[in-house]
Amino acid sequence: MTKLSVNINKIATLRNARGGNLPNLLAVALDCERFGAEGITVHPRPDERHVRYSDVTDLKPFMKTEFNIEGYPNEKFIALVKEVRPAQVTLVPDPPGALTSNAGWDTILHESFLKEVIGGFKALGIRTSVFIETDEKMIRNAAKTGADRVELYTEAYARDYTSNPELAVKPFREAALTAHECGLGLNAGHDLNLLNLKFFQQNVPHLLEVSIGHALICDALYYGIENTIQMYLRQLNNPFKQ
Ligand code: PXP
Protein backbone atom coordinates (compact mmCIF):
# COMPACT_ATOMS: atom_id res chain seq x y z
CA MET A 1 0.00 0.00 0.00
CA THR A 2 1.25 3.49 -0.86
CA LYS A 3 0.81 6.12 1.86
CA LEU A 4 -0.28 9.67 1.10
CA SER A 5 1.71 12.37 2.88
CA VAL A 6 0.25 15.84 2.42
CA ASN A 7 2.76 18.66 2.06
CA ILE A 8 1.25 21.70 3.83
CA ASN A 9 3.78 24.33 2.72
CA LYS A 10 1.18 26.04 0.49
CA ILE A 11 -1.08 26.53 3.50
CA ALA A 12 1.77 28.34 5.26
CA THR A 13 2.37 30.43 2.13
CA LEU A 14 -1.27 31.54 2.15
CA ARG A 15 -1.07 32.37 5.86
CA ASN A 16 2.15 34.33 5.39
CA ALA A 17 0.53 36.46 2.68
CA ARG A 18 -1.39 38.38 5.36
CA GLY A 19 0.90 38.05 8.35
CA GLY A 20 -1.79 36.69 10.69
CA ASN A 21 -2.74 33.13 11.49
CA LEU A 22 -5.31 32.41 8.78
CA PRO A 23 -5.40 29.67 7.69
CA ASN A 24 -4.20 28.05 10.89
CA LEU A 25 -1.49 25.59 9.89
CA LEU A 26 -1.99 23.27 12.85
CA ALA A 27 -5.76 23.10 12.32
CA VAL A 28 -5.25 22.27 8.63
CA ALA A 29 -2.66 19.59 9.44
CA LEU A 30 -4.99 17.97 11.98
CA ASP A 31 -7.88 18.11 9.51
CA CYS A 32 -5.72 16.52 6.78
CA GLU A 33 -5.03 13.66 9.19
CA ARG A 34 -8.70 13.43 10.11
CA PHE A 35 -9.67 13.31 6.43
CA GLY A 36 -7.29 10.42 5.73
CA ALA A 37 -3.77 11.74 5.13
CA GLU A 38 -1.29 9.17 6.37
CA GLY A 39 1.48 11.67 6.81
CA ILE A 40 2.17 15.39 6.99
CA THR A 41 5.17 16.86 5.21
CA VAL A 42 6.77 20.23 5.90
CA HIS A 43 9.66 21.82 4.04
CA PRO A 44 11.18 24.71 6.00
CA ARG A 45 13.42 26.79 3.75
CA PRO A 46 16.17 29.13 5.01
CA ASP A 47 14.13 32.27 4.19
CA GLU A 48 11.04 30.77 5.92
CA ARG A 49 8.78 32.03 3.14
CA HIS A 50 6.56 28.95 3.48
CA VAL A 51 6.69 26.84 6.64
CA ARG A 52 8.72 28.47 9.42
CA TYR A 53 11.13 26.63 11.67
CA SER A 54 8.84 27.49 14.62
CA ASP A 55 5.88 25.89 12.76
CA VAL A 56 7.76 22.61 12.68
CA THR A 57 8.31 22.54 16.46
CA ASP A 58 4.73 23.71 17.07
CA LEU A 59 3.20 20.99 14.88
CA LYS A 60 5.21 17.99 16.06
CA PRO A 61 3.51 17.26 19.44
CA PHE A 62 0.10 17.10 17.75
CA MET A 63 0.92 14.92 14.74
CA LYS A 64 -0.69 11.48 14.92
CA THR A 65 0.47 10.26 11.52
CA GLU A 66 3.95 10.16 10.00
CA PHE A 67 5.64 13.55 10.31
CA ASN A 68 8.14 14.13 7.49
CA ILE A 69 10.53 17.09 7.47
CA GLU A 70 12.15 17.87 4.12
CA GLY A 71 14.97 20.22 3.38
CA TYR A 72 18.57 21.01 2.73
CA PRO A 73 20.69 19.83 5.67
CA ASN A 74 22.38 23.06 6.73
CA GLU A 75 23.28 23.46 10.41
CA LYS A 76 19.96 25.04 11.36
CA PHE A 77 17.96 22.34 9.61
CA ILE A 78 19.99 19.54 11.18
CA ALA A 79 19.52 21.05 14.66
CA LEU A 80 15.76 21.42 14.06
CA VAL A 81 15.33 17.82 12.93
CA LYS A 82 17.35 16.52 15.87
CA GLU A 83 15.23 18.55 18.28
CA VAL A 84 11.87 17.62 16.73
CA ARG A 85 12.69 13.99 15.91
CA PRO A 86 10.13 13.39 13.16
CA ALA A 87 9.33 9.92 11.86
CA GLN A 88 11.21 10.74 8.67
CA VAL A 89 13.62 13.33 7.33
CA THR A 90 13.96 13.80 3.57
CA LEU A 91 17.21 15.41 2.47
CA VAL A 92 16.89 17.69 -0.54
CA PRO A 93 19.77 19.48 -2.31
CA ASP A 94 17.90 22.81 -2.54
CA PRO A 95 19.93 25.89 -3.30
CA PRO A 96 18.77 28.60 -0.81
CA GLY A 97 16.81 30.74 -3.34
CA ALA A 98 15.18 27.89 -5.26
CA LEU A 99 11.49 28.37 -6.01
CA THR A 100 10.93 24.67 -5.34
CA SER A 101 13.08 21.55 -5.29
CA ASN A 102 14.53 21.19 -8.77
CA ALA A 103 17.09 18.37 -8.68
CA GLY A 104 18.05 15.21 -6.86
CA TRP A 105 21.30 14.61 -4.96
CA ASP A 106 24.53 13.66 -6.61
CA THR A 107 25.09 10.84 -4.13
CA ILE A 108 28.60 10.18 -5.45
CA LEU A 109 29.88 13.73 -5.10
CA HIS A 110 28.20 14.21 -1.72
CA GLU A 111 28.56 10.68 -0.36
CA SER A 112 30.64 11.54 2.70
CA PHE A 113 28.52 14.59 3.61
CA LEU A 114 25.30 12.58 3.32
CA LYS A 115 26.79 9.70 5.26
CA GLU A 116 27.70 11.97 8.15
CA VAL A 117 24.33 13.75 8.25
CA ILE A 118 22.36 10.53 7.87
CA GLY A 119 24.42 8.82 10.58
CA GLY A 120 23.49 11.61 13.01
CA PHE A 121 19.77 11.25 12.28
CA LYS A 122 19.80 7.45 12.37
CA ALA A 123 21.46 7.51 15.79
CA LEU A 124 18.30 9.26 17.03
CA GLY A 125 16.00 6.72 15.37
CA ILE A 126 14.85 9.06 12.60
CA ARG A 127 14.18 7.37 9.26
CA THR A 128 16.14 9.01 6.46
CA SER A 129 15.25 9.49 2.82
CA VAL A 130 17.30 11.08 0.05
CA PHE A 131 15.68 13.02 -2.82
CA ILE A 132 17.05 11.60 -6.04
CA GLU A 133 16.62 11.32 -9.79
CA THR A 134 16.33 8.05 -11.69
CA ASP A 135 20.04 7.64 -12.53
CA GLU A 136 21.05 4.09 -11.58
CA LYS A 137 24.49 5.10 -10.26
CA MET A 138 22.96 7.71 -7.96
CA ILE A 139 20.51 5.19 -6.56
CA ARG A 140 23.16 2.53 -5.99
CA ASN A 141 25.34 5.08 -4.26
CA ALA A 142 22.45 6.33 -2.13
CA ALA A 143 22.52 2.93 -0.46
CA LYS A 144 26.16 3.58 0.51
CA THR A 145 25.17 6.74 2.41
CA GLY A 146 23.18 4.66 4.89
CA ALA A 147 19.83 6.16 3.83
CA ASP A 148 16.75 4.04 4.57
CA ARG A 149 14.83 5.29 1.55
CA VAL A 150 15.08 7.34 -1.60
CA GLU A 151 12.41 9.76 -2.78
CA LEU A 152 12.20 9.81 -6.58
CA TYR A 153 11.93 13.34 -8.00
CA THR A 154 8.89 12.96 -10.26
CA GLU A 155 8.89 16.31 -12.09
CA ALA A 156 10.09 14.67 -15.35
CA TYR A 157 7.41 11.99 -15.08
CA ALA A 158 4.67 14.59 -14.57
CA ARG A 159 5.95 16.68 -17.48
CA ASP A 160 6.20 13.76 -19.93
CA TYR A 161 3.08 11.90 -18.76
CA THR A 162 0.77 14.07 -20.85
CA SER A 163 2.47 13.11 -24.13
CA ASN A 164 3.54 9.50 -23.47
CA PRO A 165 2.69 7.91 -20.12
CA GLU A 166 4.52 4.60 -20.83
CA LEU A 167 7.73 6.34 -21.79
CA ALA A 168 7.41 8.78 -18.90
CA VAL A 169 7.12 6.06 -16.27
CA LYS A 170 9.77 3.68 -17.62
CA PRO A 171 12.85 5.23 -15.93
CA PHE A 172 10.90 5.41 -12.66
CA ARG A 173 9.93 1.74 -12.81
CA GLU A 174 13.57 0.82 -13.44
CA ALA A 175 14.73 3.12 -10.63
CA ALA A 176 12.24 1.49 -8.28
CA LEU A 177 13.58 -1.96 -9.09
CA THR A 178 17.16 -0.80 -8.53
CA ALA A 179 16.28 0.84 -5.22
CA HIS A 180 14.52 -2.33 -4.07
CA GLU A 181 17.48 -4.47 -5.10
CA CYS A 182 19.76 -2.18 -3.04
CA GLY A 183 17.51 -2.56 0.02
CA LEU A 184 16.22 1.02 -0.18
CA GLY A 185 12.59 1.88 0.55
CA LEU A 186 10.86 3.99 -2.07
CA ASN A 187 9.05 7.33 -1.83
CA ALA A 188 8.18 9.74 -4.63
CA GLY A 189 7.06 13.31 -5.07
CA HIS A 190 6.86 16.49 -7.10
CA ASP A 191 4.08 17.52 -9.47
CA LEU A 192 2.06 14.39 -8.82
CA ASN A 193 -1.64 15.13 -9.28
CA LEU A 194 -5.07 13.59 -9.79
CA LEU A 195 -4.33 12.90 -13.46
CA ASN A 196 -0.93 11.26 -13.24
CA LEU A 197 -0.84 9.65 -9.78
CA LYS A 198 -2.79 6.46 -10.45
CA PHE A 199 -0.69 5.46 -13.47
CA PHE A 200 2.50 6.16 -11.53
CA GLN A 201 1.45 4.05 -8.57
CA GLN A 202 0.28 1.20 -10.79
CA ASN A 203 3.52 1.11 -12.76
CA VAL A 204 6.15 1.78 -10.12
CA PRO A 205 6.63 -1.21 -7.83
CA HIS A 206 7.46 -1.06 -4.12
CA LEU A 207 6.18 2.52 -3.76
CA LEU A 208 5.79 3.13 -0.02
CA GLU A 209 4.81 6.79 0.05
CA VAL A 210 4.02 9.80 -2.09
CA SER A 211 4.34 13.34 -0.85
CA ILE A 212 2.02 15.79 -2.57
CA GLY A 213 1.52 19.50 -1.99
CA HIS A 214 0.93 21.95 -4.80
CA ALA A 215 -1.67 20.14 -6.90
CA LEU A 216 -3.53 18.75 -3.90
CA ILE A 217 -3.96 22.17 -2.30
CA CYS A 218 -5.00 23.63 -5.68
CA ASP A 219 -7.59 20.85 -6.07
CA ALA A 220 -8.86 21.60 -2.58
CA LEU A 221 -9.93 25.08 -3.79
CA TYR A 222 -12.49 23.37 -6.00
CA TYR A 223 -13.36 20.14 -4.18
CA GLY A 224 -12.63 21.02 -0.56
CA ILE A 225 -9.78 19.48 1.40
CA GLU A 226 -11.76 16.51 2.74
CA ASN A 227 -12.99 15.41 -0.71
CA THR A 228 -9.63 16.10 -2.27
CA ILE A 229 -7.68 13.91 0.15
CA GLN A 230 -10.13 11.09 -0.43
CA MET A 231 -9.83 11.53 -4.20
CA TYR A 232 -6.05 11.18 -3.93
CA LEU A 233 -6.39 8.14 -1.68
CA ARG A 234 -8.65 6.55 -4.27
CA GLN A 235 -5.99 7.11 -6.95
CA LEU A 236 -3.64 5.15 -4.70
CA ASN A 237 -6.26 2.47 -4.24
CA ASN A 238 -5.89 3.24 -0.60
CA PRO A 239 -9.29 3.06 1.07
CA PHE A 240 -9.93 5.67 3.72
CA LYS A 241 -10.07 4.25 7.22
CA GLN A 242 -11.60 6.32 9.99
N1 PXP B 1 9.08 16.21 -2.41
C1 PXP B 1 9.99 17.20 -2.26
C2 PXP B 1 11.38 16.86 -1.85
C3 PXP B 1 9.62 18.55 -2.45
O1 PXP B 1 10.51 19.53 -2.29
C4 PXP B 1 8.28 18.83 -2.80
C5 PXP B 1 7.85 20.26 -2.99
O2 PXP B 1 8.14 20.99 -1.85
C6 PXP B 1 7.38 17.76 -2.95
C7 PXP B 1 7.82 16.46 -2.75
C8 PXP B 1 5.95 17.96 -3.31
O3 PXP B 1 5.86 18.50 -4.59
P1 PXP B 1 4.49 19.15 -5.08
O4 PXP B 1 4.27 20.37 -4.23
O5 PXP B 1 4.75 19.47 -6.52
O6 PXP B 1 3.43 18.13 -4.88
Side-chain angles (χ1 to χ4, degrees):
M1 202 166 79
T2 306
K3 285 187 176 179
L4 172 66
S5 185
V6 174
N7 179 318
I8 56 170
N9 262 43
K10 281 277 136 49
I11 303 296
T13 309
L14 187 57
R15 175 201 61 191
N16 297 350
R18 276 294 172 97
N21 196 26
L22 191 69
N24 180 313
L25 194 67
L26 174 60
V28 174
L30 292 174
D31 282 335
C32 286
E33 290 187 325
R34 200 156 57 85
F35 299 146
E38 293 145 315
I40 298 293
T41 292
V42 288
H43 190 145
R45 287 196 160 86
D47 61 6
E48 302 196 297
R49 67 186 188 276
H50 310 140
V51 159
R52 301 180 187 126
Y53 285 69
S54 59
D55 288 325
V56 180
T57 39
D58 291 349
L59 285 166
K60 171 63 175 38
F62 299 98
M63 294 298 92
K64 296 186 211 72
T65 62
E66 185 192 290
F67 195 40
N68 175 41
I69 308 179
E70 295 175 352
Y72 180 80
N74 60 18
E75 268 180 42
K76 200 172 167 193
F77 179 87
I78 292 172
L80 174 78
V81 173
K82 287 185 172 173
E83 181 199 334
V84 169
R85 298 197 189 192
Q88 177 173 272
V89 58
T90 301
L91 304 179
V92 185
D94 273 1
L99 197 58
T100 181
S101 309
N102 55 14
W105 283 99
D106 182 331
T107 59
I108 298 173
L109 190 63
H110 300 292
E111 181 183 332
S112 60
F113 172 64
L114 287 170
K115 217 179 212 168
E116 187 190 324
V117 171
I118 286 168
F121 291 144
K122 286 182 82 169
L124 296 174
I126 303 165
R127 191 170 74 222
T128 55
S129 179
V130 171
F131 195 55
I132 204 167
E133 289 165 51
T134 53
D135 185 312
E136 185 183 343
K137 289 195 294 300
M138 296 303 159
I139 297 168
R140 292 200 183 277
N141 225 67
K144 292 196 195 155
T145 66
D148 301 295
R149 294 189 184 184
V150 286
E151 177 179 326
L152 294 177
Y153 173 36
T154 49
E155 193 265 342
Y157 163 74
R159 187 192 58 226
D160 298 341
Y161 172 84
T162 44
S163 53
N164 191 334
E166 280 296 343
L167 211 59
V169 86
K170 190 168 175 279
F172 290 85
R173 183 169 43 235
E174 285 163 7
L177 293 171
T178 305
H180 190 66
E181 187 197 314
C182 295
L184 291 162
L186 192 73
N187 297 342
H190 222 284
D191 289 333
L192 294 174
N193 61 36
L194 283 175
L195 297 177
N196 62 32
L197 179 60
K198 186 174 192 151
F199 187 79
F200 188 82
Q201 200 261 351
Q202 286 178 341
N203 287 280
V204 176
H206 315 296
L207 185 60
L208 297 171
E209 180 182 307
V210 287
S211 138
I212 306 183
H214 186 76
L216 189 150
I217 301 302
C218 291
D219 289 329
L221 293 174
Y222 287 89
Y223 306 124
I225 189 79
E226 179 169 10
N227 283 330
T228 301
I229 288 174
Q230 290 175 34
M231 289 162 86
Y232 275 80
L233 289 172
R234 279 200 291 277
Q235 300 307 305
L236 294 169
N237 200 17
N238 198 347
F240 174 57
K241 289 184 221 81
Q242 195 113 37

